[in-house]
Structure formats: structure tokens, C-alpha cells
Amino acid sequence: MTNGLNVSHGLNQAQAEAVDTLSGPMLVLAGAGTGKTRVVTFRIANLIRNGTPPDRILAMTFTNKAAGEMQERIGELIGSKKKRNPKRGEAAEPKPTISTFHSLCVRILRQHAPTLGFPKKFSIYDRSDQESLARGILRELRLPGTALKPGDMLAIIGGWKNQSVLPDEAAMSASTDKEHFAASGYRRYQDALRARAAMDFDDLLLHTETLFREHHDVRDAVASLYDHVLVDEYQDTNGSQYRITRDLTFKHRNFCVVGDDDQSIYAWRGADVTHILSFTQDWPDAKVVCLEDNYRSTGAILSMANTLIQYNTERHDKVLIPSRPDGMRPRILQHKDETVEAKLVVSEITELINKKHIQPRDIAILFRTNEQPRLFETELRKANVPYVMMGSQSFFDRREIRDLLAFLKWIDQPDDEISLLRIINTPARGLSNKTVQLLVKRAVERGVPVWQVMQNNAAIADLSPSARRGIAELESLAHDVRERAEHDSLTDAIRTMLERTAYADEIARLYDQPEERDARMASIGDLTNAIGAYQDNSSDPSLTGFLSDIALSGREMGNEKDKMAAKNSVWLLTLHAAKGLEFPYVYMVGMEEGILPHSRSLKSGRDEDIAEERRLCYVGITRAQENLTLSMALTRRKWGKPRPTTPSPFLYEITGKADNPARNRKARKRRLA
DNA sequence: AAATGCGCCTTTTTT
DNA sequence: AGGCGCATTT
């Protein structure tokens, strides 16, 4: 520590090394709980202390939550002033850019989309938009539903996109039947997106990559904005992200990546762990720092994690070294069925909170799939224990939210046909299914968006008067809402929309129970509040901006009440959502074959799929600081019927039960290796 | 044109 | 069990 300016005190030697080297490529291989986040934030702070202008630093994360937290920690470290009523026109204090890949790409594309033949107001299609589109295409191709399901097609297309395989090349990379079908759908899918002025999540990356590849002036302009680029969770980068970061760093070479190959749990969405494993081949002069001292978990928890992960063969061989005492041995509990599992876990939690005065926020329940938490929610509610469910999509799955967002998306971008078709007759306005089909047919014939046909008086002259009235109604509605959004405010716009559609009446019509009505109206209120909050926090609010924000970070949105409660609540998280977090008390539930590892991974039979499930289990275990409980149910209901279960093979691996065939098989393999 | 009814399929994980 | 597409009533 030669530099008087450094802020690295309180770090161990390896951490300090990672923080003190300020330039050139660097790889930080950081195991779970070794202070990875601390290293990244300290490093950024140190760059700033040593004279790098903050706004010349770009740090990339994979979730908005991670970006937000990093922003906060850096603010604390460099002592950025609290923004109290910044005067209009006063230059904002320069800050490092901390962004997810997707947000960064959206920002770039909002500016350069016309170069690629897209309008600046392109829609972002989420999973369900994609599925509607894919369903339509499969229907057009007349592939029977059994041959290729929309989800399958999207997964295959997504894989190609991540590897930058374009529609024309896809047929050549196809080997299975499904892939061949998907290849024929791929071209149509991309054309359909373009016709709807829409991009899916993969496109945000793919189009940015294309933009950089084909327009070096744009690439260089973006790259020259930054002198330092850092990527957290580098093991999660997919092909597009890899190439985008390469384009942003090849000139200045100040590229620092941080990650852990044992925590790579996103291969299914294109993440390629070889990016981190071969970093030193890409950057031969890279400095490599390994962090192996674990400050998070007790020795007993860590030894369990170490034992488990050693069953994976393809990995950097490293062992986490505990810096804490052994602590309590993790427990493995078997329950009669999933209801008992939920009841007992919750009653234990209640006891922890009431008798041992543990804070709810120090307890987490982790699970593999999103259907598992339901029972736990019910029990927690019964026991009056505050809880938050992170990453729950439920808010955006609500019909009323989907409808209102579809309205907004269509009003913002009239070519967005998926959104238009969702709300074209919601609430009913005289446009029957048959009429809609006719309109779509005419649009296809003319090769123009449906909305253009609907606005063409000649094209709709033969429609029933009620249908024409419906179209006129939509038109004036869109006009008024757009006016409001542009000239008044976004909250005015959504209020106008709710009034003009009489959406409250629709809710009253659909739901006859007053509680349900209230709940639905409340979630509409939440959406209105979210728009208000966006408007207050954004320097240049727009409908387009709001919709982008929602698409990219929607699932983190909740109402204010939830946010208050979240400050001290029990956490309910999927294993994926739990990455990067830590809790004194962790319950990993549903430790059964078919759940973890998931049946789809078992079915594929590929070793690397099981290895990823094992890493997922490893991530779960290493979230626990002091107390870990693994539990399973002996029977579990599936599709209504109770079914006997089998313990997760990982339970045997963890405990070292030699008589387990799974372990013997693995052990034999290792001996041979 | 809207409401009701029937059968089918679903269920990984998420930016 | 629940949601959705499709077919049949009202």
C-alpha cells in the first residue's frame, strides 16, 4: 500500500491487491463470500480517489438490484454529497455509470436505432409478448403444437441470438428436428418483431453488437466515453455481452472482471463460463487475483459447500477457506408432505423471531421453482410474519396490469401489434373475434401494420357500424392519452386512459367479490404510483422511458407499502434470485429429485445440466452465514395428486453417504480422472 | 357480439 | 388446479 490516497484499509492482502492495481486487464476469481462486491466498490472508489473522473468509469452488472446496491456503496465510499434540491441547470455531480447490460444497450439503441432501421420508440417485448408472437408464427407455419412449442422455439432462437447466429445461418446450425423447425420460424420471428417495431431481450444485446460491428464510428463513440470498464459476475456473460465488452475495452485495455465459475447458474440463457475461464488467453497480460478467504459462513456450512462442489469436474479447483468458527452443523429434515414442510419451517421461523429475537430480515427461505413458495406464503400470512417475495412476477402477471401496460405500449408505439391485439376489444367495444381476424388478414395482405388498416377508411368501410364505432373509439382514446402524456403529465395520461376505457367498470363486471375488486383496483393504483415515481425521479420523463424501465426492471417494482415492509421481512427467494445475497438463517426447501436438480435437467441427461443444478445448490448453501436447514417432503402434490418423492442426490453428496449409487458413480469417475 | 362451457396443457430458473 | 384456446349458447 504505497499510495496514500488508497481506500483499501480493512482488506486482506489479495483483496488489497485487486483494489490497488488501477490499470490494465484484471481477473478477480472470487469464491462465494470472499468480499467480491467490496472489492469492486473499493476499486471504483480507488480509481476516483486517484484522479479518474467518475463519469469515465463504467461498471456492468446483471441485475438492476445489484447496480443499485453498487451505486449506493460507492456513494458511501467516495462521500458523494446527498442531492438536496439541486438547482435547475446546475451541473449534476459526475457519477460512475453503473448499469445492467440491457439498460446500457437500450440507452445506446434509443439513440442509434434508426441506423438499424428501427424507430427510436421501439417496444421491448417481454416473455409473454414473445410467446404470443411465437404462437402466431407456429400457427402460420402450420406446425402442429406437438412438434414445437412456442417456448421451445424461443429457447432455440435465443440460443442462436446469443451466439450471434443470424436467421440465414440458423438452418446450418440446426441438427435436431426441433431446431430445424425453429430455424424456419426464426426469420419470420425477426421480421415480425421488426414489423412491430419491437425487440426482445436478446435483440437488445444482439442489435447493439451488430451496431458496433457494422458501424465502427458508433462503436468508437460509445467506447470513448469510458476509460475503465468493470464487469461483475463475469461468469454469467453470454456471447453478445462478451463481444460488447470487448468492443468497449480493446482500446484502453482497462478491463476488470470479477466472478466465480462455481456460481455460473445462467447457462440456460446463454451464459458461457468459458469467458471467465479463458480470460487470460484473451488478455495475456491480465493480472489474476484469487480470493479464497470466506468471511460469510461458518466452517460447518463451508465444508458442506466445498464437499458438494467437488463433484463437479469442469471447474477451477479451489477451496473456500473459512475465517469463522465451525458453528452449528446444517440440518437435513424430512417432512411428511409439502404442507407440513411449510408449516414446520414457518413455525420454526416464528419461534426464532419471537423467542430468540432474530430479525425477520435475517431469515431466508430459498426454493428452486416459483410454484414452491405459495404454501410458505400462506403459512407466513397465517402466522403474521412479515415477508417479501423477490423477483416475483406476479404483479405483472395480473390481468389488469397486463392490459394497462398493453394500452400504454400500443399508444406509445402503434405498430406494436401484440399489444394492440391484446386490448383491441378490452373492455368490449364491438370488435368481435371475427372482425379482428379480418383486420389482421387485410394487414397481412397489404403488408402493413394492423393499426394502419384500421385507420384506413376505405379498408374498413364494409365493417359493421359497431365495429367502426369501436375503432373510432380506440383512435380518439389513443389521441387523448397521447396528448396528455406529451403536454400534461404521465399520471394525467394514465388517469385519462382509465377514465376513457372505464376500466373500473370492467373490473366490476369481471369480479363479483368486493375483496377481489378492491385488490385489482389497488394494483392499478400501484401502477399509477409507479408512473408517478418514475416521473418524479427521471430528468426527462416519457412514456417510452417508463415502459423501458418497466420492461427491464419491472419485477423489482412493488408498492410503497411493500417497500416499507421489505426493510424487515423474511425473504422468499428463488435460488437464482438469491445469488449475491447473504442471510444468517437460511432454509433451503424442496430438496428433492426433480426439483433440485430439476426434472428438466435430469431428463436432458447431460452432465453439464446436472452440474449447473449442483452449482445452484452450492449457491444456496453459501448464502447461509450461521444456520442452514435443508428440508424435503416425502410426498408432494403434483397436478393435484400426491406423489412419493426421492431425496435430492445432492443431499447424499453433501453428507458423504458412501452407499449412494450417485456418489459411487461420481467417485469412480473422479478416481479415473 | 358477448357470455358460457369444455378440453387441453402446463411447470425451471430471468434480463 | 388454473389458464387459455376453441366451440357452443344466449
Side-chain angles (χ1 to χ4, degrees):
Chain A
M1 259 120 297
T2 51
N3 191 327
L5 290 168
N6 79 63
V7 288
S8 55
H9 77 100
L11 301 176
N12 72 19
Q13 202 190 333
Q15 289 172 329
E17 233 183 295
V19 166
D20 283 346
T21 310
L22 295 181
S23 59
M26 163 138 67
L27 166 64
V28 181
L29 281 170
T34 56
K36 176 168 66 77
T37 318
R38 238 182 115 165
V39 163
V40 178
T41 52
F42 271 56
R43 192 160 193 276
I44 293 173
N46 228 7
L47 284 167
I48 294 169
R49 298 271 166 114
N50 282 278
T52 306
D55 52 359
R56 306 281 309 166
I57 299 169
L58 172 66
M60 312 284 270
T61 60
F62 281 80
T63 64
N64 283 287
K65 188 158 59 78
E69 267 161 32
M70 200 184 284
Q71 196 108 50
E72 211 165 286
R73 281 166 190 247
I74 290 167
E76 284 162 20
L77 280 179
I78 61 174
S80 85
K81 289 151 226 136
K82 283 258 158 60
K83 45 168 180 184
R84 47 180 125 77
N85 307 326
K87 280 191 202 102
R88 205 174 290 271
E90 187 181 316
E93 192 182 347
K95 277 193 301 194
T97 305
I98 298 171
S99 167
T100 64
F101 276 94
H102 287 84
S103 315
L104 182 81
C105 290
V106 167
R107 248 174 290 145
I108 294 168
L109 290 170
R110 287 270 176 239
Q111 217 181 331
H112 298 284
T115 314
L116 296 166
F118 275 91
K120 285 189 179 184
K121 280 189 178 189
F122 55 84
S123 284
I124 299 172
Y125 272 10
D126 65 18
R127 184 75 204 171
S128 68
D129 295 328
Q130 291 182 58
E131 263 171 27
S132 309
L133 196 55
R135 241 193 308 277
I137 288 168
L138 288 174
R139 252 199 305 266
E140 262 179 60
L141 290 174
R142 293 209 205 122
L143 291 178
T146 44
L148 185 66
K149 278 168 265 176
D152 294 340
M153 181 167 98
L154 290 170
I156 296 169
I157 292 177
W160 281 325
K161 287 189 179 184
N162 293 152
Q163 295 167 53
S164 204
V165 173
L166 300 174
D168 298 332
E169 306 152 359
M172 296 200 309
S173 347
S175 53
T176 66
D177 278 355
K178 281 188 177 181
E179 283 168 0
H180 280 289
F181 288 136
S184 57
Y186 186 13
R187 158 64 57 202
R188 278 167 180 265
Y189 176 74
Q190 287 308 86
D191 288 347
L193 281 172
R194 195 171 276 272
R196 287 155 185 72
M199 300 187 192
D200 67 17
F201 281 106
D202 293 320
D203 283 343
L204 297 176
L205 304 172
L206 184 66
H207 290 321
T208 303
E209 187 191 340
T210 311
L211 181 71
F212 284 178
R213 189 179 57 244
E214 291 173 1
H215 303 274
H216 286 181
D217 53 328
V218 176
R219 178 196 66 185
D220 294 343
V222 176
S224 71
L225 294 173
Y226 308 105
D227 295 326
H228 288 268
V229 176
L230 299 94
V231 180
D232 194 10
E233 309 281 15
Y234 191 65
Q235 77 281 353
D236 289 337
T237 44
N238 68 25
S240 294
Q241 289 160 335
Y242 170 78
R243 286 181 288 273
I244 289 168
T245 48
R246 203 185 43 195
D247 280 347
L248 293 178
T249 51
F250 80 101
K251 223 163 187 173
H252 54 68
R253 305 180 52 78
N254 296 322
F255 185 30
C256 173
V257 306
V258 183
D260 177 8
D261 52 308
D262 286 335
Q263 293 186 69
S264 159
I265 54 175
Y266 285 105
W268 53 272
R269 65 172 198 209
D272 187 348
V273 73
T274 58
H275 295 147
I276 194 166
L277 294 179
S278 58
F279 187 80
T280 48
Q281 277 148 52
D282 293 342
W283 308 88
D285 55 331
K287 175 163 181 161
V288 181
V289 178
C290 293
L291 306 180
E292 294 183 307
D293 292 322
N294 177 294
Y295 297 99
R296 178 183 294 156
S297 311
T298 61
I301 292 169
L302 267 195
S303 89
M304 202 177 221
N306 281 330
T307 312
L308 175 73
I309 201 64
Q310 273 162 19
Y311 282 84
N312 276 1
T313 45
E314 304 291 320
R315 58 184 287 269
H316 267 300
D317 206 6
K318 62 178 177 305
V319 172
L320 293 177
I321 303 153
S323 65
R324 302 183 55 172
D326 270 1
M328 274 214 353
R329 241 192 106 186
R331 292 173 303 158
I332 298 176
L333 304 179
Q334 288 191 333
H335 300 294
K336 185 170 144 281
D337 57 37
E338 75 277 10
T339 318
V340 174
E341 181 186 41
K343 279 200 162 94
L344 290 185
V345 166
V346 170
S347 82
E348 228 181 88
I349 288 176
T350 320
E351 204 149 295
L352 283 176
I353 294 171
N354 293 338
K355 300 227 171 99
K356 293 180 93 181
H357 305 292
I358 305 294
Q359 295 297 315
R361 75 168 82 89
D362 288 338
I363 306 169
I365 304 174
L366 308 183
F367 38 84
R368 173 68 175 86
T369 68
N370 277 318
E371 57 164 354
Q372 286 170 266
R374 281 168 208 271
L375 283 169
F376 290 88
E377 278 192 278
T378 334
E379 295 299 327
L380 286 165
R381 259 200 307 269
K382 260 197 240 164
N384 251 328
V385 176
Y387 70 89
V388 268
M389 209 160 106
M390 298 281 304
S392 120
Q393 223 184 335
S394 54
F395 182 76
F396 293 92
D397 283 343
R398 289 180 214 164
R399 174 214 277 260
E400 61 278 12
I401 299 300
R402 301 271 308 275
D403 282 349
L404 297 182
L405 283 177
F407 262 114
L408 292 176
K409 280 167 84 169
W410 167 66
I411 287 167
D412 187 51
Q413 173 49 266
D415 287 352
D416 177 352
E417 191 178 298
I418 296 287
S419 297
L420 170 59
L421 291 181
R422 181 182 173 90
I423 48 83
I424 196 162
N425 199 33
T426 307
R429 56 175 70 81
L431 291 157
S432 71
N433 253 337
K434 231 172 114 190
T435 312
V436 173
Q437 273 168 21
L438 183 70
L439 290 169
V440 171
K441 192 171 143 249
R442 288 185 180 171
V444 172
E445 281 164 8
R446 290 155 195 243
V448 298
V450 171
W451 181 235
Q452 219 158 300
V453 173
M454 292 166 71
Q455 283 179 301
N456 180 338
N457 283 328
I460 59 170
D462 58 335
L463 262 51
S464 71
S466 73
R468 288 214 306 273
R469 225 176 302 129
I471 292 175
E473 212 175 285
L474 268 181
E475 193 157 4
S476 96
L477 164 74
H479 173 84
D480 290 0
V481 175
R482 215 172 281 138
E483 282 286 276
R484 289 279 179 177
E486 275 162 26
H487 298 116
D488 301 316
S489 72
L490 294 179
T491 38
D492 283 335
I494 193 164
R495 230 170 277 139
T496 305
M497 192 177 79
L498 288 167
E499 277 164 30
R500 293 293 305 274
T501 52
Y503 202 86
D505 294 348
E506 173 75 355
I507 285 189
R509 189 184 68 81
L510 284 171
Y511 310 102
D512 38 6
Q513 299 194 347
E515 295 159 0
E516 175 132 43
R517 282 186 196 176
D518 291 349
R520 305 272 171 176
M521 289 310 290
S523 58
I524 292 178
D526 291 344
L527 185 69
T528 318
N529 290 341
I531 290 189
Y534 162 80
Q535 195 164 252
D536 295 344
N537 294 329
S538 169
S539 56
D540 180 23
S542 68
L543 193 49
T544 316
F546 173 71
L547 293 169
S548 295
D549 273 20
I550 282 280
L552 296 178
S553 69
R555 58 197 59 232
E556 280 144 52
M557 209 192 74
N559 64 33
E560 287 306 308
K561 219 168 67 207
D562 286 349
K563 277 179 196 154
M564 292 301 286
K567 286 186 180 155
N568 198 5
S569 302
V570 172
W571 299 72
L572 274 111
L573 297 160
T574 63
L575 290 165
H576 284 88
K579 190 161 71 145
L581 304 175
E582 57 184 15
F583 313 91
Y585 288 79
V586 168
Y587 290 85
M588 280 175 77
V589 300
M591 294 294 297
E592 294 146 37
E593 192 168 83
I595 296 183
L596 183 69
H598 195 273
S599 50
R600 305 258 299 217
S601 301
L602 289 169
K603 226 182 288 165
S604 91
R606 290 199 312 237
D607 275 357
E608 65 258 42
D609 288 345
I610 300 297
E612 180 150 318
E613 298 284 325
R614 192 176 284 111
R615 289 192 292 268
L616 207 45
C617 186
Y618 174 80
V619 165
I621 293 172
T622 53
R623 296 312 95 193
Q625 294 172 295
E626 276 145 41
N627 198 299
L628 173 65
T629 308
L630 305 150
S631 70
M632 60 167 295
L634 290 168
T635 67
R636 185 173 291 271
R637 262 169 199 283
K638 199 166 191 189
W639 295 315
K641 287 248 159 70
R643 228 194 46 183
T645 64
T646 312
S648 166
F650 300 149
L651 290 176
Y652 297 103
E653 296 180 2
I654 287 168
T655 50
K657 282 249 172 74
D659 56 313
N660 178 32
R663 181 169 201 253
N664 289 340
R665 214 185 312 130
K666 288 283 180 185
R668 219 174 300 131
K669 211 184 260 174
R670 272 190 307 159
R671 266 201 306 280
L672 291 172

